[in-house]
mmCIF file of all heavy atoms in Angstrom:
data_model
loop_
_atom_site.group_PDB
_atom_site.id
_atom_site.type_symbol
_atom_site.label_atom_id
_atom_site.label_comp_id
_atom_site.label_asym_id
_atom_site.label_seq_id
_atom_site.Cartn_x
_atom_site.Cartn_y
_atom_site.Cartn_z
ATOM 1 N N ARG A 72 30.553 1.626 19.518
ATOM 2 C CA ARG A 72 30.934 2.412 18.345
ATOM 3 C C ARG A 72 30.295 1.758 17.134
ATOM 4 O O ARG A 72 30.605 0.608 16.819
ATOM 5 C CB ARG A 72 32.458 2.427 18.220
ATOM 6 C CG ARG A 72 33.015 3.585 17.458
ATOM 7 C CD ARG A 72 34.449 3.923 17.860
ATOM 8 N NE ARG A 72 35.251 2.762 18.242
ATOM 9 C CZ ARG A 72 35.956 2.040 17.370
ATOM 10 N NH1 ARG A 72 35.968 2.319 16.083
ATOM 11 N NH2 ARG A 72 36.658 1.007 17.791
ATOM 12 N N GLY A 73 29.335 2.438 16.507
ATOM 13 C CA GLY A 73 28.728 1.917 15.282
ATOM 14 C C GLY A 73 27.660 0.861 15.500
ATOM 15 O O GLY A 73 27.314 0.129 14.582
ATOM 16 N N THR A 74 27.131 0.770 16.714
ATOM 17 C CA THR A 74 26.026 -0.149 16.972
ATOM 18 C C THR A 74 24.784 0.687 17.304
ATOM 19 O O THR A 74 24.885 1.709 17.981
ATOM 20 C CB THR A 74 26.361 -1.099 18.135
ATOM 21 O OG1 THR A 74 27.526 -1.836 17.783
ATOM 22 C CG2 THR A 74 25.222 -2.059 18.433
ATOM 23 N N ALA A 75 23.640 0.238 16.816
ATOM 24 C CA ALA A 75 22.387 0.959 17.077
ATOM 25 C C ALA A 75 21.328 -0.022 17.550
ATOM 26 O O ALA A 75 21.327 -1.189 17.149
ATOM 27 C CB ALA A 75 21.908 1.666 15.809
ATOM 28 N N ASP A 76 20.458 0.469 18.401
ATOM 29 C CA ASP A 76 19.309 -0.318 18.841
ATOM 30 C C ASP A 76 18.089 0.113 18.058
ATOM 31 O O ASP A 76 17.831 1.326 17.929
ATOM 32 C CB ASP A 76 19.017 -0.042 20.320
ATOM 33 C CG ASP A 76 19.674 -1.039 21.240
ATOM 34 O OD1 ASP A 76 19.083 -2.091 21.481
ATOM 35 O OD2 ASP A 76 20.799 -0.745 21.704
ATOM 36 N N LEU A 77 17.364 -0.871 17.549
ATOM 37 C CA LEU A 77 16.029 -0.582 17.027
ATOM 38 C C LEU A 77 15.084 -0.814 18.202
ATOM 39 O O LEU A 77 14.846 -1.954 18.602
ATOM 40 C CB LEU A 77 15.696 -1.522 15.858
ATOM 41 C CG LEU A 77 14.284 -1.383 15.272
ATOM 42 C CD1 LEU A 77 14.058 0.010 14.682
ATOM 43 C CD2 LEU A 77 14.031 -2.447 14.212
ATOM 44 N N TYR A 78 14.613 0.277 18.771
ATOM 45 C CA TYR A 78 13.834 0.163 20.009
ATOM 46 C C TYR A 78 12.386 -0.238 19.731
ATOM 47 O O TYR A 78 11.793 -0.999 20.470
ATOM 48 C CB TYR A 78 13.853 1.488 20.773
ATOM 49 C CG TYR A 78 15.217 1.877 21.290
ATOM 50 C CD1 TYR A 78 15.882 2.999 20.796
ATOM 51 C CD2 TYR A 78 15.841 1.121 22.275
ATOM 52 C CE1 TYR A 78 17.133 3.358 21.277
ATOM 53 C CE2 TYR A 78 17.091 1.479 22.762
ATOM 54 C CZ TYR A 78 17.728 2.598 22.255
ATOM 55 O OH TYR A 78 18.961 2.946 22.728
ATOM 56 N N TRP A 79 11.821 0.331 18.668
ATOM 57 C CA TRP A 79 10.412 0.073 18.368
ATOM 58 C C TRP A 79 10.186 0.030 16.875
ATOM 59 O O TRP A 79 10.763 0.832 16.143
ATOM 60 C CB TRP A 79 9.517 1.218 18.893
ATOM 61 C CG TRP A 79 9.506 1.341 20.353
ATOM 62 C CD1 TRP A 79 10.353 2.094 21.113
ATOM 63 C CD2 TRP A 79 8.622 0.681 21.268
ATOM 64 N NE1 TRP A 79 10.045 1.932 22.432
ATOM 65 C CE2 TRP A 79 8.996 1.082 22.554
ATOM 66 C CE3 TRP A 79 7.559 -0.199 21.100
ATOM 67 C CZ2 TRP A 79 8.338 0.625 23.677
ATOM 68 C CZ3 TRP A 79 6.900 -0.659 22.222
ATOM 69 C CH2 TRP A 79 7.291 -0.243 23.490
ATOM 70 N N ILE A 80 9.349 -0.887 16.458
ATOM 71 C CA ILE A 80 8.782 -0.797 15.106
ATOM 72 C C ILE A 80 7.366 -1.325 15.243
ATOM 73 O O ILE A 80 7.133 -2.418 15.758
ATOM 74 C CB ILE A 80 9.636 -1.530 14.035
ATOM 75 C CG1 ILE A 80 9.010 -1.388 12.651
ATOM 76 C CG2 ILE A 80 9.883 -2.970 14.382
ATOM 77 C CD1 ILE A 80 9.974 -1.693 11.501
ATOM 78 N N VAL A 81 6.438 -0.490 14.841
ATOM 79 C CA VAL A 81 5.017 -0.796 15.046
ATOM 80 C C VAL A 81 4.235 -0.366 13.808
ATOM 81 O O VAL A 81 4.452 0.723 13.273
ATOM 82 C CB VAL A 81 4.468 -0.044 16.282
ATOM 83 C CG1 VAL A 81 2.954 -0.124 16.361
ATOM 84 C CG2 VAL A 81 5.093 -0.579 17.565
ATOM 85 N N VAL A 82 3.346 -1.231 13.374
ATOM 86 C CA VAL A 82 2.429 -0.886 12.276
ATOM 87 C C VAL A 82 1.005 -1.101 12.768
ATOM 88 O O VAL A 82 0.726 -2.084 13.485
ATOM 89 C CB VAL A 82 2.738 -1.741 11.019
ATOM 90 C CG1 VAL A 82 1.661 -1.568 9.949
ATOM 91 C CG2 VAL A 82 4.108 -1.373 10.453
ATOM 92 N N ASP A 83 0.141 -0.180 12.413
ATOM 93 C CA ASP A 83 -1.282 -0.267 12.738
ATOM 94 C C ASP A 83 -1.771 -1.701 12.475
ATOM 95 O O ASP A 83 -1.564 -2.245 11.389
ATOM 96 C CB ASP A 83 -2.011 0.729 11.826
ATOM 97 C CG ASP A 83 -3.516 0.716 12.022
ATOM 98 O OD1 ASP A 83 -3.993 0.080 12.988
ATOM 99 O OD2 ASP A 83 -4.201 1.348 11.198
ATOM 100 N N ALA A 84 -2.412 -2.300 13.485
ATOM 101 C CA ALA A 84 -2.825 -3.707 13.373
ATOM 102 C C ALA A 84 -3.675 -3.953 12.126
ATOM 103 O O ALA A 84 -3.588 -5.015 11.506
ATOM 104 C CB ALA A 84 -3.581 -4.113 14.636
ATOM 105 N N ALA A 85 -4.466 -2.962 11.738
ATOM 106 C CA ALA A 85 -5.353 -3.131 10.578
ATOM 107 C C ALA A 85 -4.612 -2.999 9.257
ATOM 108 O O ALA A 85 -5.186 -3.258 8.191
ATOM 109 C CB ALA A 85 -6.474 -2.094 10.640
ATOM 110 N N ARG A 86 -3.348 -2.566 9.314
ATOM 111 C CA ARG A 86 -2.601 -2.342 8.067
ATOM 112 C C ARG A 86 -1.327 -3.177 7.992
ATOM 113 O O ARG A 86 -0.443 -2.895 7.182
ATOM 114 C CB ARG A 86 -2.276 -0.860 7.925
ATOM 115 C CG ARG A 86 -3.497 0.021 7.705
ATOM 116 C CD ARG A 86 -3.047 1.461 7.815
ATOM 117 N NE ARG A 86 -3.992 2.423 7.304
ATOM 118 C CZ ARG A 86 -4.809 3.136 8.079
ATOM 119 N NH1 ARG A 86 -4.830 2.939 9.388
ATOM 120 N NH2 ARG A 86 -5.608 4.043 7.543
ATOM 121 N N GLN A 87 -1.226 -4.192 8.847
ATOM 122 C CA GLN A 87 -0.042 -5.046 8.790
ATOM 123 C C GLN A 87 -0.097 -5.958 7.563
ATOM 124 O O GLN A 87 -1.149 -6.112 6.945
ATOM 125 C CB GLN A 87 0.066 -5.876 10.082
ATOM 126 C CG GLN A 87 0.420 -4.992 11.281
ATOM 127 C CD GLN A 87 0.418 -5.722 12.607
ATOM 128 O OE1 GLN A 87 0.284 -6.931 12.659
ATOM 129 N NE2 GLN A 87 0.566 -4.972 13.678
ATOM 130 N N ASN A 88 1.042 -6.544 7.223
ATOM 131 C CA ASN A 88 1.161 -7.464 6.077
ATOM 132 C C ASN A 88 0.892 -6.786 4.737
ATOM 133 O O ASN A 88 0.379 -7.398 3.812
ATOM 134 C CB ASN A 88 0.245 -8.683 6.244
ATOM 135 C CG ASN A 88 0.604 -9.453 7.497
ATOM 136 O OD1 ASN A 88 1.782 -9.645 7.792
ATOM 137 N ND2 ASN A 88 -0.382 -9.859 8.254
ATOM 138 N N ARG A 89 1.236 -5.498 4.675
ATOM 139 C CA ARG A 89 1.108 -4.767 3.404
ATOM 140 C C ARG A 89 2.417 -4.085 3.030
ATOM 141 O O ARG A 89 2.442 -3.199 2.186
ATOM 142 C CB ARG A 89 0.020 -3.707 3.514
ATOM 143 C CG ARG A 89 -1.343 -4.283 3.818
ATOM 144 C CD ARG A 89 -2.363 -3.175 3.886
ATOM 145 N NE ARG A 89 -3.610 -3.638 4.473
ATOM 146 C CZ ARG A 89 -4.685 -2.900 4.642
ATOM 147 N NH1 ARG A 89 -4.672 -1.625 4.252
ATOM 148 N NH2 ARG A 89 -5.769 -3.380 5.183
ATOM 149 N N GLY A 90 3.478 -4.458 3.715
ATOM 150 C CA GLY A 90 4.785 -3.924 3.335
ATOM 151 C C GLY A 90 5.221 -2.673 4.082
ATOM 152 O O GLY A 90 6.314 -2.149 3.810
ATOM 153 N N ILE A 91 4.411 -2.188 5.020
ATOM 154 C CA ILE A 91 4.752 -0.926 5.700
ATOM 155 C C ILE A 91 5.926 -1.137 6.654
ATOM 156 O O ILE A 91 6.870 -0.331 6.692
ATOM 157 C CB ILE A 91 3.529 -0.356 6.445
ATOM 158 C CG1 ILE A 91 2.415 -0.067 5.437
ATOM 159 C CG2 ILE A 91 3.905 0.903 7.231
ATOM 160 C CD1 ILE A 91 1.063 0.187 6.059
ATOM 161 N N GLY A 92 5.902 -2.245 7.413
ATOM 162 C CA GLY A 92 7.017 -2.534 8.320
ATOM 163 C C GLY A 92 8.320 -2.684 7.557
ATOM 164 O O GLY A 92 9.369 -2.202 7.996
ATOM 165 N N THR A 93 8.259 -3.318 6.403
ATOM 166 C CA THR A 93 9.459 -3.495 5.574
ATOM 167 C C THR A 93 10.007 -2.135 5.138
ATOM 168 O O THR A 93 11.212 -1.903 5.171
ATOM 169 C CB THR A 93 9.118 -4.351 4.336
ATOM 170 O OG1 THR A 93 8.594 -5.597 4.790
ATOM 171 C CG2 THR A 93 10.336 -4.601 3.467
ATOM 172 N N ARG A 94 9.103 -1.228 4.750
ATOM 173 C CA ARG A 94 9.552 0.110 4.330
ATOM 174 C C ARG A 94 10.195 0.864 5.480
ATOM 175 O O ARG A 94 11.221 1.526 5.327
ATOM 176 C CB ARG A 94 8.370 0.927 3.798
ATOM 177 C CG ARG A 94 8.102 0.684 2.344
ATOM 178 C CD ARG A 94 7.284 1.784 1.727
ATOM 179 N NE ARG A 94 7.971 3.061 1.634
ATOM 180 C CZ ARG A 94 7.372 4.209 1.338
ATOM 181 N NH1 ARG A 94 6.074 4.221 1.102
ATOM 182 N NH2 ARG A 94 8.050 5.329 1.267
ATOM 183 N N LEU A 95 9.559 0.770 6.661
ATOM 184 C CA LEU A 95 10.112 1.471 7.829
ATOM 185 C C LEU A 95 11.495 0.924 8.169
ATOM 186 O O LEU A 95 12.440 1.686 8.392
ATOM 187 C CB LEU A 95 9.181 1.301 9.034
ATOM 188 C CG LEU A 95 7.917 2.169 9.030
ATOM 189 C CD1 LEU A 95 6.941 1.679 10.100
ATOM 190 C CD2 LEU A 95 8.261 3.641 9.273
#
Side-chain angles (χ1 to χ4, degrees):
R72 204 154 33 89
T74 300
D76 266 274
L77 176 62
Y78 294 114
W79 295 90
I80 181 162
V81 169
V82 171
D83 178 10
R86 293 171 165 101
Q87 290 175 7
N88 300 318
R89 299 181 193 181
I91 299 166
T93 302
R94 274 199 68 192
L95 283 167

